[in-house]
Every structure is written in C-alpha cells, then in structure tokens.
Amino acid sequence: YTFSGWLAEGSEEIGVREVTGAVTYVGSITRTPKLYTVTWVLGDRNETVTVPYGEYPSYDGVPERASDGYSYTFLKWNKPLDWVRGDAIYEAEWEKKPLATSIDGEMMEIRHSESAVTVVATHPQVDIREAARLAQASGKSLSVKWDRFLLTIDSTELSKLTETTCRRIHLIERSEVGTGVSYQFGYFNSAGQLQDVDVSATLCGLDDSGSPMAGYLLENGVWRSVGTEAVTVKGGASFSLSQAYRIDFLSADKCNLANVPELVGVGERVDLRLKCVFGYEVSAAKVTMEDGTAVAVEDLSFLMPNGNVKIELTVTPIVYHVTFISDGKVIAEADYLLGEKIVLPEDPTKPSDGVNDYTFGGWSKDVTIAYGDDRNPVYEAVFSVTPVAVYHHKLALIDTIVLIVLPIVGGVTLLGVAALIVRRVIKKKKASAASAKTERRGK
C-alpha cells in the first residue's frame, strides 16, 4: 500500500486546501497487488509470466514443443493450477511419438528447414506418418532422402497420406545399374500392404555434393530421361540415376528370365546363357535396338548399347553325339538327348596278328547316360592280349617261358619277358663225355 495524499471529504481532488471551515481529510492509499513469477517449462524452452497475488494463472494458447526426432502433443501440467500466492513452476507433460522410424523401430534423423521437414532414411521401409503430420501442420513439405535419391511431397498433398491408412514410404528395390543406382518406391499401410494413393511427389537425383543429378523415369515400360530437373509422379514409381535402358525378350520359350535385370546400364555386359528347362539350352541370340540396328553378340553375350534392345533367343535340345571306336575304326555312332541311356554296340572283335590273340575287355570309360560338358564323347574298345605259342627246334631246350603283357586300346605292348630256362643234359652229350673219360683212362 502506498500513501498518495490527503483527500478532503466530499472532494475528488487530493490535496489540503485553505481553511474556510471545518473539514475532515482522509488519507488516500494506493493499493498495488504484489506480483509473482509463474514459469511454464515446455521441454525445449521455458516461458515466464508475472501474475498478481491471488489471481489464477493460465497459459495463453495450447503449449507446443519443437520436434527433435519426436512429435509432441500436450497432455497436461505436472500439477493442478492454483491461485497465485508466490512464485510457481509448472512443467508440461507430453505424448511423445517418433517422427520417422524403420520397420524395426529404428529412429531416422530429422532435419528442419524453413520450407521442409526432411527424413534421412537409412532403411528401405520408413514410417513417415508423424513426420507428414508435423509438416502438414506447419505448412511445410515432407522430404525423404535415401543416399542419392530425394522424394518430396508438397504440404498441399500431405493430407492424401495423413487422412488415409498409409503410413510408410517403402523403397521396394534398390539395385546397382552400371555406374548408377535404380530406385523403386511405393506407399504401404501399417500391415505392410501396398496402397494405391493418388499423391503427387517430386523425384530428384543427387550427386556426392548434394547437387541435382541427371535421372531417368520409367514410364509405360520405357525409361525417359528427365535431366537434372525434379519430376512429378503420382503414386509409386521407378527412378534411375544412370543411363540405363530396358531389355525386351521377343522369344524366350523354356528360359528362366527371373534373374535377368529389367534395366541395364550402358556399356554393361549382358549374359544370355540363361537357365532353361531340363534338356534345353540357348544356342543362339539376335539382339537389335528399337530402330533395327543390330547389336553384336559374341559367345552369347553383348554390351548394352545406348538404347532399349529386343532379344530373340534360339532354344534347342541339348544333344550328345556318341562314338564307339574299335582298333582305330568307328563301329557305331548316334545322337542322344540329355539324360537318355546310351545303347551299347555289339562287343567288337580284333583278329589275331600271328603273334598275339585279342579278347574284348570293355570300353575306355563307363557307358551310362548322355550328360556332362563333353558333347562329343568317344568310347574306345579295350582288348586284353594273349601271345600265340611258337615252337622251333632251336628252342627245344626251353622248358618254361613266362610272359607279362599289358593290354592297351587296340594293341599289345610287351612289358617284359622273364625266362626261366632249364637246360637238360642231352643223353648224347652225356655219352660223349663218358666215352672221352673211358678213353683217357685206357691211355
């Protein structure tokens, strides 16, 4: 309370006057309420207000808190508000939700600018629902950045996401193409189902410095160059950061095309030795560009040209030409499909050459079915060798001869001869010796 002067009764002016009669003065007291500080703790900042004693404090508006990877929704103050009788502090309590997470709950980095909320994605599937709501509420665009690929949705389009069941932007495929990268993305709900949403987004490629990079957009099966300018698409799309073109197979019956890339970078080698159904293989290929220009094919592969190509494959059965040889001569030959059982010819014979007799002992390798890398297998007859017995009067002293022979294909090699010769004492020679001895004794 502060004294402000004297006030004569019946007067509204403060001050003492000349005495002209009886008068009563009343002290004029000014009452100023005592002020106290009320502090509102909002998490990212504090706000303070001055409130007179005895008054009821109130926060002006709805408390807000800047996002820091999370979005915050005000729930209540940490204690009930009360009449001011001294300084007071009230702390806000918030509902806290991540702005962007992977499917595994990993939080993504969030960057804020004057015009955009940007999610720096390190995972193919990103839940962006809260980030979209934040951007929409603040009148900003939402961007999602995967390394060199940037997708941006304007604030006017965000309601098409936030008002639907769509929660995620999913990088369905990221594949290396030549010297660049190809991206395919789509929109998914919380159950992981692809959503057909009519939302427009701008796509842009970025180089290492963050500057726009030339890109290619897949439209109706054709890759179209969009240069370095951002391009607007509706719904999911495929975007490439390298000069790449499409491969179309005009004929590829019985071939498995599952591992053939749809998009191939210029200068990249394409292998056409594709897997086929059992018993078939690609035997030839014709590759042409859309204008009819032929592309050179060597060893069933080619270098991707600067344009889309059409491929015609020739697929034929796998055939084996089997040959049987005996004594250097073909005795049978036939063609077999992969897996067919090879039919054996009749056992061949080889006539004696006067020195040896020959007996058929089988083939140079097992004969089963047609298979393997050798498409022209050759089977040679194997003969065992038995020497022909030859007697001569000069060999009458030979009692036993042991021969060791080695059979080879179409002939005999004499490995060694071991001879054990037992010489008999011819009676005539013994008689001569005995006669000579008798003669010496007589002399």
Side-chain angles (χ1 to χ4, degrees):
Y1 298 89
T2 304
F3 176 74
S4 56
W6 295 102
L7 180 64
E9 288 184 339
S11 173
E12 295 180 357
E13 296 181 4
I14 294 178
V16 178
R17 302 176 183 179
E18 293 180 357
V19 178
T20 57
V23 63
T24 300
Y25 287 92
V26 179
S28 177
I29 304 298
T30 301
R31 186 179 69 174
T32 303
K34 191 172 183 179
L35 302 177
Y36 292 93
T37 299
V38 174
T39 302
W40 310 102
V41 180
L42 302 176
D44 59 336
R45 68 193 188 283
N46 294 342
E47 295 182 6
T48 59
V49 293
T50 301
V51 181
Y53 175 88
E55 291 192 11
Y56 193 82
S58 65
Y59 186 85
D60 186 17
V62 179
E64 294 181 350
R65 178 175 176 176
S67 61
D68 55 358
Y70 293 90
S71 65
Y72 295 91
T73 302
F74 176 74
L75 296 176
K76 63 179 181 176
W77 299 105
N78 65 323
K79 59 185 178 181
L81 302 183
D82 196 5
W83 304 103
V84 173
R85 293 181 177 82
D87 293 338
I89 299 175
Y90 296 96
E91 296 184 15
E93 295 182 356
W94 308 90
E95 180 185 11
K96 182 179 177 181
K97 294 181 179 179
L99 288 176
T101 61
S102 70
I103 193 173
D104 299 321
E106 177 188 354
M107 288 185 58
M108 302 291 104
E109 179 187 353
I110 304 294
R111 297 175 183 174
H112 299 270
S113 67
E114 293 183 359
S115 59
V117 174
T118 301
V119 178
V120 182
T122 56
H123 192 279
Q125 295 190 41
V126 183
D127 188 332
I128 45 79
R129 192 170 185 82
E130 294 304 319
R133 286 177 172 173
L134 173 64
Q136 182 182 10
S138 57
K140 298 180 179 181
S141 61
L142 172 68
S143 295
V144 182
K145 181 180 180 295
W146 287 277
D147 45 67
R148 294 186 174 185
F149 177 54
L150 182 66
L151 177 150
T152 301
I153 303 173
D154 189 75
S155 59
T156 58
E157 291 285 315
L158 287 174
S159 62
K160 297 178 181 179
L161 290 182
T162 59
E163 295 175 5
T164 66
T165 58
C166 179
R167 293 194 64 92
R168 304 173 190 160
I169 298 180
H170 184 179
L171 197 62
I172 301 171
E173 182 179 4
R174 179 190 184 279
S175 55
E176 300 291 336
V177 180
T179 58
V181 184
S182 176
Y183 301 89
Q184 182 184 3
F185 74 92
Y187 301 92
F188 287 73
N189 60 21
S190 57
Q193 299 170 325
L194 183 64
Q195 298 288 284
D196 184 15
V197 293
D198 187 29
V199 61
S200 295
T202 57
L203 313 178
C204 180
L206 304 173
D207 61 18
D208 291 336
S209 65
S211 300
M213 182 178 177
Y216 299 80
L217 182 67
L218 184 63
E219 294 180 333
N220 299 320
V222 177
W223 288 95
R224 177 176 67 88
S225 173
V226 295
T228 58
E229 299 297 324
V231 61
T232 301
V233 299
K234 280 196 174 185
S238 294
F239 190 80
S240 173
L241 302 183
S242 70
Q243 192 170 359
Y245 294 94
R246 190 182 72 253
I247 291 178
D248 288 327
F249 285 91
L250 301 183
S251 62
D253 292 342
K254 299 181 176 63
C255 290
N256 183 359
L257 304 180
N259 295 325
V260 179
E262 180 185 4
L263 184 67
V264 179
V266 175
E268 192 172 354
R269 182 162 290 279
V270 180
D271 189 354
L272 298 177
R273 289 170 293 188
L274 307 179
K275 290 185 177 180
C276 301
V277 297
F278 182 81
Y280 289 84
E281 65 182 350
V282 177
S283 56
K286 179 182 179 182
V287 181
T288 57
M289 298 181 67
E290 290 184 333
D291 60 2
T293 303
V295 178
V297 178
E298 297 180 1
D299 193 24
L300 288 178
S301 69
F302 69 96
L303 294 177
M304 191 67 181
N306 188 21
N308 298 327
V309 297
K310 299 178 180 179
I311 299 176
E312 297 179 60
L313 298 180
T314 301
V315 180
T316 56
I318 298 175
V319 177
Y320 293 82
H321 186 75
V322 178
T323 304
F324 290 90
I325 294 178
S326 176
D327 198 20
K329 298 178 181 179
V330 175
I331 62 171
E333 58 183 328
D335 291 334
Y336 294 89
L337 297 178
L338 175 63
E340 285 189 330
K341 184 177 180 179
I342 298 174
V343 178
L344 293 173
E346 292 184 0
D347 291 351
T349 60
K350 182 176 180 179
S352 174
D353 56 9
V355 176
N356 297 299
D357 289 331
Y358 301 93
T359 303
F360 176 70
W363 298 99
S364 55
K365 51 189 175 182
D366 291 338
V367 183
T368 55
I369 62 173
Y371 76 100
D373 296 331
D374 186 3
R375 300 294 176 83
N376 297 284
V378 176
Y379 298 89
E380 297 187 36
V382 177
F383 293 91
S384 61
V385 179
T386 303
V388 177
V390 179
Y391 297 95
H392 195 274
H393 66 281
K394 292 184 178 180
L395 299 178
L397 297 181
I398 299 177
D399 190 41
T400 305
I401 298 177
V402 180
L403 298 177
I404 302 176
V405 295
L406 174 67
I408 64 169
V409 176
V412 175
T413 299
L414 184 61
L415 179 64
V417 178
L420 176 59
I421 303 175
V422 179
R423 298 182 179 277
R424 296 180 178 179
V425 179
I426 303 175
K427 293 180 178 180
K428 182 178 179 180
K429 198 170 184 179
K430 286 183 176 181
S432 299
S435 176
K437 185 176 182 182
T438 304
E439 185 179 350
R440 283 196 301 273
R441 286 178 179 175
K443 290 181 180 181

